[in-house]
Every structure is written in structure tokens, then in C-alpha cells.
Amino acid sequence: MTATPVATPLLTATDVTIERGGRGLVSGLSLQVMPGEIWQVEGVNGSGKTSLLRVLSGLSRYGYDGQVERAVPLLYLGHRSAVKPLLSPLENLRLHPGGEGDHTDSDIERALAAVGLAGFEDNLAGTLSAGQQRRINLARLYLSPCPLWILDEPFTAIDREGVLALEQRFAQHAQAGGAIVCTSHQPLNVQASVSRLSLDRERAA
Amino acid sequence: MTATPVATPLLTATDVTIERGGRGLVSGLSLQVMPGEIWQVEGVNGSGKTSLLRVLSGLSRYGYDGQVERAVPLLYLGHRSAVKPLLSPLENLRLHPGGEGDHTDSDIERALAAVGLAGFEDNLAGTLSAGQQRRINLARLYLSPCPLWILDEPFTAIDREGVLALEQRFAQHAQAGGAIVCTSHQPLNVQASVSRLSLDRERAA
Amino acid sequence: MWSFFHKLGSPPWLYSIAGTILRWLLPITLVVLVAGAVWGLLYTPPDFRQGNSYRIMYIHVPTAVVALAGYYVMAIAGAISLIWRMKMADVAMRAAAPIGAMLTFLALVTGAIWGKPTWGTWWEWDARITSMLVLFFLYLGVMVLYDAYDNKEAAGRACAVLSLVGTVNIPIIYKSVDWWYSLHQPASIKFTGESTIDSSMLYPLLLMIVAFYALYTCCLLMNMRTELLRREARTGWVRRLIVEEGKG
Amino acid sequence: MNTLPTVAFMRRLLRRQLLLALRSPVDVANPLIFFGMVIVLFPIGLGPDPVILARFAPGILWIVALLSSLLTSDALFRSDFDDGSLEQLLLSPQPLYLSVLSYVLAHWLITGLLLALMAPLFAIMLGLAVQAIAPLVASLALGTAVLSLVGCIGASLTVSLRRGGMLIALLVLPLYVPVLIFGSAAVQAAVDGFSVLPYLAILAAMLSLGIALAPFAIAAGLRIGIDA
Amino acid sequence: MNTLPTVAFMRRLLRRQLLLALRSPVDVANPLIFFGMVIVLFPIGLGPDPVILARFAPGILWIVALLSSLLTSDALFRSDFDDGSLEQLLLSPQPLYLSVLSYVLAHWLITGLLLALMAPLFAIMLGLAVQAIAPLVASLALGTAVLSLVGCIGASLTVSLRRGGMLIALLVLPLYVPVLIFGSAAVQAAVDGFSVLPYLAILAAMLSLGIALAPFAIAAGLRIGIDA
Ligand code: HEM
Ligand SMILES: Nc1ncnc2c1ncn2[C@@H]1O[C@H](COP(=O)(O)OP(=O)(O)OP(=O)(O)O)[C@@H](O)[C@H]1O
Ligand SMILES: Nc1ncnc2c1ncn2[C@@H]1O[C@H](COP(=O)(O)OP(=O)(O)OP(=O)(O)O)[C@@H](O)[C@H]1O
Ligand SMILES: [Mg+2]
Ligand SMILES: [Mg+2]
């Protein structure tokens, strides 16, 4: 990376308060996500991780207080994986509605190989296993030009080797100046410093 | 338990061969699941764990070779969790289509408390978080009278404490003479002996 | 008897026996078909009212008759495949559907073509015509359902269920449509042939019906052979077959 | 093991379906609203001549009721398939024949019966003769039960197909034809002052046949769908 | 960043929708089959009298085309919502107005245009006058485009509701009424030997208005649906 005089935050949340169904989930959270940072949002089931990530990514535009500023394009991968069972993995990515980049087929094939789907490029996604379908979506981590990733439990249904490979990719992305906000119930083993944000504390308060 | 002269297997699979989309997944597998046993089926994504479990549970009635005999009623929990978003957790269990036992409401409330859903009994399931919805389904592990459990990645989306509690329940079930066949990408920490069945080896062969 | 049943379940045997039957039946069918067509089209007197246009009857009536019978062939095959789990019945059912649909379609089209000179319209909501159209939709349903399933084994069983449901319904549909038509004041149009058909026209017609039954059987057997090859593409006997064909 | 008596299980399933329907009351009202709105389309599409409308009212009412029933039957098993409830139902130790009957009954109560009860309103709007209204209700109540049975067969055969939306129409509409004929004939007979009993008897016969046979087909369809 | 040009993205979305449709060819054929089958129901329900049928043909054809379009528009965004594709579309840096137009265009190509092209067959079966057939095709082609736009608004508003199946009918049918009126009037005019151009011009005007405004409503509906 070229030397930037002052690094600007990729994502700034100021005094965010989220309430759902009469329960306060997040109160007065302020957060700055700088390039190179990895944030892991932690909390028990129902503590508000998904709700927070949807607010940060801009999918929830109402139902919260506070400001969120996103300085750069972002990639959001949620609980649902936007994979069409009737398209092959290759077509799924080639015709993806995310529309954030222009990829050649060989780019996509390389990304699919990186998530262990080499050889499955042309099977219909609907015939793949649960983990393989999630992997199609995760291939976007090898394709997307977005510097900021917001990932909601990216390791769901992924086997151990798959998790290792993804953790490497996380470190690589952080090193290249990107930033990641993710949730996971397992500890992250990344070769980079991981900041933790626990929502349990908030709830207890 | 009363002393039984010879323990009969709860589930017997003989020479099971499964093929999907032209790929051999399982070949010539023979398996006897005895009371008190816990089997963990392992394998990378797409190795055939789900396919095998569906054959063992009787959901796939065609598309495989070999015999499977189920000596007792079984409880199958799959990737999809049979939870109705428009019903509360309490109603979901009270009106469950599984129909294997007759439970009072206080039974159900106790089971829901055991999976950490105390206080959420009457919220609509659709408003709960991903993990909480899975937990509704897992409450059946505290309710069902079935001695044989077949569980496909029961820990998906469950937080760490939740996993611990489930592992305790597993041990308890095995001690009481039940048996479990489950898949998980994480190692099982159960106070009982766990037999492993790896599908990767099969595939390599 | 049992061994015959057993053999029926064996794809290579079925494939070869179908081939043998075809070798005899196909030439005979063609001869009868040509004979019937020539007799009907060239050597019968013109109808006193319809002139020569009635000659389309020699295609229309056989197709209509066989199309109806074809549904029962399909349904019986479906029942066998459901009850005895016989894959070959599945193959037969799969093979029967498109032929039946095609024949029904032909009956509809020839009927429409015939209707123009005789009734002055292409289409008439007559009881038999309407129920033929419903039959066409039943056939289409089976074909489309088969295509909709990715898993062809499941597709076969689903279609078997559907065609069985259809068999219960076909008599009901026919009865009710017939009855529906007589409820409303019948239109002025009647099938001309019904009672007045002359024996000089009848015999070639009967010959054509026989020819179409034979043709149906040929198409069925040919379709079954193709379907067998497609399903068993990866088994030993098909590979051996390909090698032999290559040599021969 | 304290197993659940089958009748209790059937009642449980029925309660479940009805509760789900009541939770989204829109869904209960929808077939009715659809029925009403499509009936309103007819005067717009065919012209507002009251004599003509009254003459064709039996046919129009029956066609629209049939479409309403068709369109709701598609969703009958789909959400249960998508969320895995159907797997649980098939694994349950209870007889599938009877479980499936509960589903059909729930469908009929929510759409068929309600439609039959609402139909007089629209019949009057279309100018149907007064003496034909009771036969309309009776024929709809009987006939929609047959439609529900047949519709459920279609729904079970298409449940595992991703976008079955209209495929079910192809499978099921031809089978609806006899019901439409006898149903509208019953109403027409009443308009013309003839006895409706023969028609209702035929509908009832179809219903008995349907209750005896359809659940087998539905159960088979569901098993196939789960397997596919 | 090598961002994707908007036109390329629109083409990509269009290709995606068409490919999905072609992957299940059943789905493409289905609205057509539905169209055909429901048209068959009319003679059965109303009686086979050719004069009456011919007289009602414009209205029947238009009502059934409208139902076909309605029933397919419901599914337009639903699977994309269920599997999360819609979230991705909303997060995409591309203008939503145009993305949404691609969806509408795909829907029209798959249902409206195909229906218009198939309609002459059924028109002949109902005995529609020959000189009215070309106007029928033209009015259907124009009118179904409006129906697709309006239907997509309804689909976007109901996408997050679990069983929207028929709610969309309630929202959308009142808006369909003008199209039905002018569409069937165009065909009727042709039957009666009058000029159809005024009617087609009105349909075209509605279409321009729809193209200009509907995408805003659809985009807003989708944002609301994702948020709910
Ligand atoms: C699209 C229009 C038509 C359809 C779908 C149709 C269908 C049928 C069917 C289903 C049969 C019955 C076969 C059986 O009884 O097993 C039949 C027979 C026959 N049709 Fe047609 N038909 C059509 C038009 C016509 C026309 C226009 C004529 C002549 C004016 C005609 C003359 C006959 C005759 C003579 C027979 C055989 C004699 C009989 O069984 O009564 N059909 N057609
Ligand atoms: N209907 C089908 N058609 C073709 N291939 C199929 C079909 N169903 C499953 N497969 C293939 O079978 C393989 C095993 O699938 P399965 O779901 O059993 O894997 P799994 O071990 O459960 O994986 P995961 O850990 O991701 O859940 C996959 O590679 C998949 O592509
Ligand atoms: N629409 C809603 N109405 C009422 N309550 C809601 C709604 N949406 C979310 N909630 C509540 O908000 C809480 C947080 O949900 P969220 O999905 O953010 O949790 P999470 O931390 O992502 O949990 P998990 O680890 O299970 O994914 C849950 O307790 C849920 O009941
Ligand atoms: Mg979450
Ligand atoms: Mg799996």
C-alpha cells in the first residue's frame, strides 16, 4: 500500500442503539473500523449480532438510533447465502446480483477452486451439499474488490480445512488494507490481531 | 436399566452403498449401533454425511444399495429445522408434526428452558435469532421418548454454552441406554466413548 | 411364469427382445399402414355430402382411438412400476407418454382440419372434442411432471401416481363431459360418420386402426430402447453393446 | 413410551394448520378476496348486461371458486417441505393416510367452506336467482371438498419442485373438470327449477371416492417429494 | 476497482432471470398451459354455445391473460428474497431503478409476450372473429407489459410476507382494471369493425407512465421488504 497520511476509517458507527421486540440489544455502541482491522462480534444466541451487522451494512435502515457511515463499498454475507439451486456455481457467481465487480470466467474458476469447489463448477448448485452451497457464496471473498467485509457466521456448515483456508484469506485481506467485521461462535485463528466486540456485556447492563 | 440378556442393536446397516450424481459416496458400509453408543460421522463438505443419515433414518427409500434395519423409533434432526415462524416455540413443540409422544405444556416449558429459551416461549419463532430457532428444534432432545437419535449438524448456529449443554445431554442419553448417530465439523466433547466413522477414507478408496 | 417376469425386469433382455420384435413388427406395420392408406384414400368412393374431405378420417379416427387406449397402457405400466417396483415398467410409462400426447395432438389437429370444410369452424366445443382436449392436458401433465423432477427415479414414480389418478378420472371425465353436452342444447353439428358409415369406407378404416395400434407398439418399443440406453448408460452391458455395434 | 393416539395426532395437525392460518389472517381472507375481485372482473371484461350475467352466474361463480381453491392448494405442503416439517411428518409413527386427511380437512375448512359461505353475497351481486342460492352453497361445500382432495394430490406431487407455482394447475385442472360440470349444473338446475338432489348426490359420490383414494396418492406423492 | 457498467449489469440480471426460467422450462410453459386450461374451463362452465362464446371471447381471453400474469408475478422476487439474493441486489452499487426494470422485462418476456403470441390459438378455439386476432395480440403485448409493471409493485410489497400468495391479488387487481377495460375494448372494437388505434394508444400511454414511475415504487417496496 502507498503511504496514506492519515488512515480514514472504513466504517464509523456512532452511538448506535438497537432494540428488537422490546429488548435492548445494543446500546450506545460506537465503533471505528480502520483498514487492516478484524472485528469479531461475539455474543450468545439472540444477543443481537445479526441485527447489528444488518444495521452496519445498511440493510436495516430504520429501527435503530445513532449514525453509521460507510466510507467504502462493502461485501455482506449473511445467514442466507444467495445461491440459486438451479444455477451452477459458475453461473451463480457470473450472474450474481451483487454486481460489484466485473469478473472473467477464469477469475471465477480460480475463486471456486480456492474454496474447494474445483470439479463442481458445472453441477447445479441444488445438488451440492449444505457446506458446498455455502462455499459458493464464500467464493466471493476471493473475487470481490470491496475493502470492507461484513460476514455473519461465515463458517456455518464449513468443514475444518475450509475454516482454516478462510482464516488465511481473512489475514491476507487485512494485510492488504481491508477490514472485516464478522460473527462466529468459534474463536478465530487468524494471523492478525482480532478485536472483539462482545454483545453479552451490553445486554447484561 | 434392567439387565437385558443380550443387547440388540438399535440400528443395523448392512453393506450400504450410496451414489449421488455419478459419485460414489459410501461403499459397502456396515454398521451396528448398540444402546449406549455415540457415533460421529465425519467428512469434508460434500463427503456424503447427510446422504448417509437420510438413508439410515429411512427418509431416502431409493437410490442406495444394501439393507438398513431400524429396531426402535428414531428422532431425526436435519439441516432444516421444522420450525414454523408463525408459531411460538411452545406451539411449535406442542403441535409438532413428529407426533412421537404426548407431552404436557410443562414438559415442553422445561425442555425449552433446558435449551435456553426460557422467557421466549411465547414470542413468535420468526422473530427469534438464527440460533434460537435452531434451539427450538433441539428442545426435542429433551422431550422425545425415542431411543435412537440421528442428528445432522445439531450444533449449527449454536453458541459455545449451548454446545456444552447439548454435549451433556448426549452423554446422559447414552448412559440411559439410548444411541446417537450425529455429524459435526467440530470434535465432540462428550463424557462417553464416541466412535468415529469417517467418510473421507471411503471416498479416497 | 415367474422367470418370465424376472426376465422382464432385466434391461439387457428387454432391450434385445424389443429389438427382435421390432425387426418383425416394423415392416409388417409399414405394409399394413401403406395398404390401409392407399385403400382408404384412392379406392373408396367420395362421401355424398362431404366429397373427398372425409378421407382425413383415415388418420383422424385411428389416432383418436389409439390415443385413448395409450393412456391406459401408460397407467397400467405406472401401476406395475409402483406396485412391483419394476424399473422396466417405469421405462415403458416414460416411453408411452410422449407417443400418447403426440397422437392426441394429431387427433386434435386432424379433427380441426376436418372441421373447417364440414362445420365451417376449426373448433367446436363438442363433448368428445372437449374431453379429447382434457386428455391432451392429462398427457402433457405427465410429460411435464417427468421433466420437472431432476431425479428421474422420483420422476417415474410421481408420474405413475399421476397417471393412476388419471385412470380413475378418465371415465368420470368422459361421462361428465358427455353428459354436460347433452345438458346444454346440442349444437346442430354431429359427427357424420356415426351411423351412416358405409362398409366400403369402414373396412379400410378398421385396417388403419389396426395399423395405428401396430405403429403405436413400434414407437413404444423404440422409445423404450432409447430410454433404456439413456438410463443404463454407465452399466457394463451398454458399453459392450456399443463396442459390438462399433465392430458390426 | 407414551405414544400419542392417532386421533389426538390428527386433531393436533388440524389445530396446527388452522392456527397457522389464523396467525396470518390475511391468508384466510385472501381466497375470499380473490374470489370477490375476480368476480368483479367479469362484468368489466364481459360487459355489464344484467341478464347475461345472471344467466352465466352459476358458471362464473364455480369457475372462480375452482381457481381460488387451486391457487391455495399449491402452498399447502410447500412451507412444510421447505422448513423440514414434512420430513418429520413422514418419519412420525402415525399413519400417513390419516395425517394427510387432516391437511386436506384444514384446507377445505379454510378455503372451501368459507368460500361456500361467502358465495351468496357474490351470487346476489351477479343476479343469481334466489332459489339457486342454497343449492349454490351446498354444491360449493361438497364440490370444494373434492377439489381440496384433488388439489392436495397435485400439491404433493409438485412439493419438491422449486417453482411449482403453476405446474400444479396443469396436473389438477383436468381432474377438476367433472366437479365443475356437476357443480355448475346443480346451480343451473336450481335456476331452471329442477331438482338438485341428483347432482349433489353425484358430488357426494365423488367425495366418497376421493376420501377413500386420494390420501393414498397424496401420501405417495409426499414420500416421492422427500426422496427427490 | 473495476466496477461493472450499469448496462452490463442490467444485461446480467436479465440473463440470470431468463436462464433461471429456462432451467425449469416447465415454468416457462406453465403460464401458457394455465392460460389454455382456464380458457377451456369457460366453455365447460358457461356452456358450449358458439355464439355466446364468440361474443365473450375478448373478455374471457383478457381475464385469463390477466390472471396468468398475476399468478406469475407473485413468485418474481420471492425466491430471491428467501435465499438472500435480494439483500445482495439492494447492497449492490448499481442503480436499483434499472435493476428492477430488468426483472420486469424478464417477467414480461417470459409471460406477457409468450401469452400474446399464443393467444391466437385460443382465440380461434373460442371463435373470435378473424379480424380481431391481430388487435388481440397487439393489445395483449402492450397490456401485459403494464400488468408486469404493476404486478411487480405488488410482488415487491408482499415479498417479505410469508404466504403472500393471494395478498398480491388484492393489491394489484384494482390497478389491473384499467388495462382490462381498454384491452378488452380494443379487441371488441376490432370485432365490431371500429378502429383499435385509440385503445392501443391509451395502453401505450399507460405503459410509458408505468415505465417511468413503477420502478420507483418497486424499489421502495423491496427496501421495505428487506427491512421488515
Ligand atoms: C378438433 C376436433 C376433433 C376432435 C378432438 C375429435 C376427436 C375425436 C375422438 C376422441 C373420436 C373418438 C374415437 C373413439 O370413439 O374412440 C373421434 C372419432 C371420430 N371423429 Fe372426431 N374429432 C374432431 C373433429 C372431427 C370432425 C370435424 C369430424 C367430421 C366432421 C370428425 C369425425 C369423426 C368420426 C367420423 C369419428 C369416428 C366415428 C365415431 O367413433 O363416431 N371429428 N374424434
Ligand atoms: N440430487 C443430487 N444430485 C447430484 N448430486 C447430489 C445430489 N444430492 C447430493 N449430491 C452430491 O452428494 C454429495 C454429498 O452430499 P451430502 O449432502 O451428503 O454431503 P455432506 O457430507 O452432508 O456435506 P456437508 O458437510 O456440506 O453437509 C455432494 O457432493 C453432492 O454434490
Ligand atoms: N422482528 C423482530 N421482532 C421481535 N424481536 C426480534 C425481531 N428481530 C430480532 N428480534 C430479537 O432480537 C434478538 C437478536 O436477534 P439476532 O438475530 O440479532 O441475534 P444473533 O446475535 O444474530 O443470534 P444468533 O447467534 O442466534 O444468530 C433475538 O432475541 C430476537 O428475538
Ligand atoms: Mg445471527
Ligand atoms: Mg450435510
Side-chain angles (χ1 to χ4, degrees):
Chain A
M1 280 181 64
T2 54
T4 39
V6 193
T8 51
L10 304 184
L11 178 80
T12 319
T14 324
D15 209 19
V16 168
T17 300
I18 306 178
E19 208 193 81
R20 287 280 181 279
R23 271 192 195 82
L25 298 177
V26 177
S27 66
L29 174 82
S30 293
L31 180 72
Q32 278 204 343
V33 179
M34 308 296 291
E37 284 186 345
I38 299 183
W39 283 85
Q40 180 174 10
V41 181
E42 290 183 326
V44 299
N45 288 138
S47 55
K49 303 180 293 299
T50 300
S51 308
L52 176 63
L53 260 52
R54 289 177 75 88
V55 167
L56 292 183
S57 67
L59 279 172
S60 292
R61 303 189 310 151
Y62 304 95
Y64 71 96
D65 289 330
Q67 268 86 50
V68 179
E69 271 166 57
R70 287 165 290 271
V72 288
L74 62 84
L75 178 69
Y76 170 87
L77 305 185
H79 281 300
R80 295 180 290 185
S81 54
V83 166
K84 287 280 161 206
L86 285 177
L87 299 180
S88 70
L90 195 64
E91 289 161 345
N92 257 301
L93 293 174
R94 197 195 283 150
L95 305 178
H96 199 277
E100 78 273 343
D102 201 358
H103 318 295
T104 64
D105 276 8
S106 62
D107 289 344
I108 298 178
E109 267 161 26
R110 227 172 303 122
L112 284 174
V115 292
L117 288 177
F120 290 91
E121 290 93 347
D122 297 318
N123 294 33
L124 290 194
T127 66
L128 298 181
S129 78
Q132 288 172 321
Q133 295 194 22
R134 300 269 320 168
R135 282 161 183 260
I136 298 176
N137 200 28
L138 292 171
R140 295 182 70 205
L141 299 182
Y142 294 83
L143 279 177
S144 168
C146 298
L148 175 61
W149 295 352
I150 298 190
L151 312 176
D152 200 358
E153 303 198 25
F155 303 140
T156 298
I158 303 297
D159 59 27
R160 255 163 285 169
E161 292 132 64
V163 172
L164 285 180
L166 283 175
E167 284 167 345
Q168 275 175 16
R169 177 74 188 111
F170 280 17
Q172 197 187 336
H173 182 65
Q175 237 150 29
I180 304 174
V181 181
C182 77
T183 68
S184 169
H185 292 300
Q186 294 147 272
L188 271 184
N189 286 317
V190 184
Q191 311 280 52
S193 73
V194 175
S195 327
R196 277 166 222 288
L197 175 72
S198 173
L199 295 184
D200 294 337
R201 188 179 36 84
E202 308 254 345
R203 206 161 61 143
Chain B
M1 281 179 62
T2 54
T4 38
V6 192
T8 50
L10 304 184
L11 178 81
T12 319
T14 323
D15 210 18
V16 168
T17 300
I18 307 178
E19 205 192 82
R20 289 283 181 277
R23 271 190 195 82
L25 297 177
V26 177
S27 64
L29 173 81
S30 293
L31 180 72
Q32 278 204 342
V33 179
M34 307 297 288
E37 284 188 344
I38 300 184
W39 283 85
Q40 180 175 11
V41 181
E42 289 183 326
V44 300
N45 289 138
S47 55
K49 301 180 294 300
T50 299
S51 308
L52 175 62
L53 259 53
R54 289 177 74 89
V55 167
L56 292 184
S57 67
L59 279 172
S60 292
R61 304 190 311 152
Y62 303 94
Y64 71 96
D65 289 329
Q67 268 87 49
V68 179
E69 270 166 59
R70 287 165 289 273
V72 289
L74 62 83
L75 177 71
Y76 171 86
L77 305 185
H79 281 299
R80 296 179 289 185
S81 53
V83 167
K84 287 282 161 203
L86 286 178
L87 299 181
S88 70
L90 194 64
E91 289 161 345
N92 257 300
L93 293 174
R94 197 195 284 149
L95 305 177
H96 199 278
E100 78 272 344
D102 201 358
H103 317 297
T104 64
D105 277 8
S106 62
D107 288 345
I108 298 179
E109 267 161 27
R110 225 171 304 121
L112 284 174
V115 292
L117 287 179
F120 290 91
E121 290 93 348
D122 296 318
N123 294 32
L124 290 194
T127 67
L128 298 182
S129 77
Q132 288 172 321
Q133 295 193 20
R134 300 270 319 169
R135 281 162 183 259
I136 299 177
N137 200 27
L138 292 172
R140 295 182 69 205
L141 299 182
Y142 294 84
L143 279 177
S144 168
C146 297
L148 175 62
W149 295 352
I150 298 189
L151 312 176
D152 200 358
E153 301 199 26
F155 304 141
T156 298
I158 303 296
D159 59 27
R160 254 162 287 169
E161 292 131 66
V163 172
L164 286 180
L166 283 175
E167 284 166 347
Q168 275 175 14
R169 177 75 188 109
F170 280 19
Q172 196 186 339
H173 182 65
Q175 239 150 27
I180 304 174
V181 180
C182 78
T183 67
S184 169
H185 291 300
Q186 293 146 273
L188 271 184
N189 285 317
V190 184
Q191 310 280 53
S193 74
V194 176
S195 327
R196 278 166 220 289
L197 174 72
S198 173
L199 295 183
D200 294 336
R201 186 179 39 83
E202 308 255 343
R203 208 162 59 143
Chain C
M1 177 63 204
W2 241 160
S3 74
F4 172 73
F5 225 67
H6 217 75
K7 272 191 196 158
L8 256 185
S10 141
W13 184 83
L14 193 73
Y15 184 85
S16 70
I17 196 76
T20 317
I21 297 175
L22 271 178
R23 217 167 302 136
W24 290 99
L25 190 57
L26 201 55
I28 297 176
T29 306
L30 290 179
V31 168
V32 177
L33 200 61
V34 170
V38 170
W39 187 0
L41 295 182
L42 301 182
Y43 293 96
T44 48
D47 188 72
F48 67 98
R49 262 196 298 157
Q50 300 183 34
N52 281 319
S53 69
Y54 86 97
R55 290 185 202 279
I56 200 170
M57 170 176 83
Y58 295 114
I59 299 171
H60 170 74
V61 176
T63 48
V65 169
V66 179
L68 247 174
Y71 197 91
Y72 286 92
V73 171
M74 186 175 77
I76 290 167
I80 294 174
S81 96
L82 269 188
I83 297 167
W84 287 291
R85 301 265 161 81
M86 226 168 71
K87 280 190 188 166
M88 293 312 107
D90 216 43
V91 171
M93 193 199 65
R94 164 71 188 129
I99 308 174
M102 197 62 220
L103 285 173
T104 318
F105 185 69
L106 270 181
L108 289 172
V109 169
T110 50
I113 293 172
W114 196 358
K116 191 65 184 169
T118 36
W119 303 335
T121 60
W122 298 101
W123 188 263
E124 194 63 43
W125 292 98
D126 165 87
R128 203 156 28 169
I129 295 178
T130 308
S131 50
M132 201 68 185
L133 189 60
V134 173
L135 180 70
F136 180 60
F137 284 130
L138 281 172
Y139 270 124
L140 264 191
V142 173
M143 286 173 61
V144 168
L145 188 67
Y146 191 92
D147 282 342
Y149 275 92
D150 295 330
N151 179 343
K152 289 310 168 194
E153 206 173 333
R157 277 174 290 134
C159 291
V161 171
L162 183 65
S163 53
L164 279 181
V165 172
T167 24
V168 176
N169 266 278
I170 279 194
I172 302 180
I173 293 172
Y174 270 79
K175 274 276 149 285
S176 56
V177 174
D178 237 350
W179 180 87
W180 157 76
Y181 187 64
S182 59
L183 178 77
H184 300 274
Q185 63 278 36
S188 53
I189 297 142
K190 286 236 172 190
F191 282 124
T192 49
E194 223 143 270
S195 53
T196 60
I197 191 158
D198 189 81
S199 62
S200 67
M201 297 175 185
L202 185 63
Y203 292 128
L205 181 62
L206 289 179
L207 194 62
M208 281 304 274
I209 290 176
V210 170
F212 264 79
Y213 268 115
L215 188 64
Y216 177 86
T217 315
C218 290
C219 290
L220 187 67
L221 289 176
M222 286 194 285
N223 262 6
M224 279 174 72
R225 275 164 63 101
T226 332
E227 180 71 16
L228 272 176
L229 289 187
R230 191 178 315 144
R231 285 200 187 189
E232 309 269 318
R234 274 181 291 107
T235 56
W237 71 269
V238 175
R239 296 231 177 83
R240 277 194 299 281
L241 196 79
I242 294 170
V243 173
E244 278 166 28
E245 297 273 301
K247 275 189 221 146
Chain D
M1 251 173 69
N2 53 342
T3 45
L4 190 63
T6 300
V7 177
F9 184 61
M10 285 181 71
R11 222 179 304 128
R12 178 199 280 194
L13 284 181
L14 185 63
R15 191 127 43 90
R16 178 167 179 271
Q17 293 300 101
L18 295 180
L19 193 60
L20 280 171
L22 288 179
R23 278 291 148 76
S24 49
V26 183
D27 287 338
V28 180
N30 264 336
L32 300 178
I33 293 169
F34 178 81
F35 189 61
M37 301 237 303
V38 176
I39 281 182
V40 171
L41 290 185
F42 276 85
I44 297 174
L46 305 185
D49 183 343
V51 179
I52 301 254
L53 282 179
R55 161 128 196 253
F56 293 109
I60 293 176
L61 285 164
W62 255 98
I63 290 175
V64 180
L66 187 150
L67 288 178
S68 278
S69 177
L70 171 72
L71 299 178
T72 46
S73 59
D74 178 48
L76 193 62
F77 296 113
R78 186 161 312 268
S79 78
D80 275 4
F81 177 82
D82 288 342
D83 67 19
S85 301
L86 215 52
E87 291 170 5
Q88 298 296 334
L89 183 72
L90 292 196
L91 285 176
S92 120
Q94 309 284 349
L96 193 52
Y97 180 94
L98 295 173
S99 316
V100 146
L101 263 187
S102 300
Y103 274 82
V104 177
L105 181 59
H107 181 255
W108 176 70
L109 287 175
I110 297 168
T111 54
L113 188 62
L114 274 188
L115 275 185
L117 296 179
M118 286 284 288
L121 179 61
F122 301 110
I124 291 170
M125 284 167 57
L126 289 180
L128 187 71
V130 179
Q131 79 270 21
I133 286 185
L136 175 72
V137 174
S139 72
L140 276 178
L142 273 175
T144 51
V146 185
L147 298 184
S148 289
L149 284 162
V150 176
C152 284
I153 299 179
S156 74
L157 287 173
T158 54
V159 71
S160 68
L161 308 174
R162 262 146 216 132
R163 272 169 57 199
M166 308 194 87
L167 177 55
I168 187 176
L170 172 60
L171 303 186
V172 151
L173 277 182
L175 306 179
Y176 277 2
V177 164
V179 181
L180 174 61
I181 289 175
F182 288 104
S184 57
V187 185
Q188 190 62 54
V191 171
D192 300 340
F194 298 117
S195 163
V196 294
L197 278 184
Y199 304 100
L200 295 184
I202 293 176
L203 286 176
M206 285 186 197
L207 180 57
S208 328
L209 190 72
I211 290 179
L213 297 184
F216 288 111
I218 301 172
L222 290 180
R223 281 196 214 284
I224 294 166
I226 286 292
D227 218 352
Chain E
M1 253 174 69
N2 52 343
T3 46
L4 190 63
T6 300
V7 177
F9 184 61
M10 284 181 70
R11 220 177 306 126
R12 179 199 279 194
L13 284 181
L14 186 63
R15 190 127 45 89
R16 179 166 179 272
Q17 292 301 100
L18 295 180
L19 193 59
L20 280 171
L22 287 179
R23 275 295 146 75
S24 46
V26 182
D27 289 337
V28 181
N30 266 335
L32 300 178
I33 293 169
F34 179 81
F35 188 63
M37 300 230 308
V38 176
I39 283 180
V40 172
L41 293 184
F42 278 84
I44 293 176
L46 306 183
D49 184 341
V51 180
I52 299 266
L53 284 178
R55 164 132 191 250
F56 286 161
I60 293 176
L61 287 164
W62 255 98
I63 289 176
V64 180
L66 187 150
L67 287 178
S68 278
S69 179
L70 172 72
L71 297 177
T72 45
S73 60
D74 178 49
L76 193 62
F77 296 113
R78 185 159 313 268
S79 79
D80 275 4
F81 177 81
D82 287 342
D83 66 18
S85 299
L86 216 51
E87 291 171 3
Q88 299 296 332
L89 183 72
L90 292 196
L91 285 176
S92 122
Q94 310 283 349
L96 194 53
Y97 179 95
L98 295 173
S99 315
V100 148
L101 262 188
S102 299
Y103 274 82
V104 177
L105 181 59
H107 181 254
W108 177 72
L109 287 174
I110 297 169
T111 54
L113 187 62
L114 275 187
L115 276 187
L117 296 178
M118 285 284 287
L121 179 60
F122 300 109
I124 289 173
M125 285 171 59
L126 289 180
L128 187 72
V130 179
Q131 78 270 22
I133 286 183
L136 174 72
V137 173
S139 70
L140 276 178
L142 273 175
T144 51
V146 185
L147 297 183
S148 288
L149 284 162
V150 175
C152 284
I153 299 179
S156 74
L157 288 173
T158 54
V159 73
S160 68
L161 308 175
R162 260 148 217 129
R163 271 169 60 198
M166 307 194 89
L167 177 57
I168 188 176
L170 174 61
L171 299 181
V172 152
L173 278 183
L175 301 177
Y176 276 3
V177 165
V179 182
L180 175 62
I181 291 176
F182 289 103
S184 55
V187 184
Q188 193 60 55
V191 171
D192 300 340
F194 299 117
S195 163
V196 293
L197 279 185
Y199 301 100
L200 294 185
I202 292 175
L203 285 177
M206 285 185 197
L207 179 57
S208 328
L209 192 71
I211 291 178
L213 297 183
F216 289 112
I218 301 170
L222 290 181
R223 280 197 217 283
I224 294 168
I226 285 295
D227 219 351

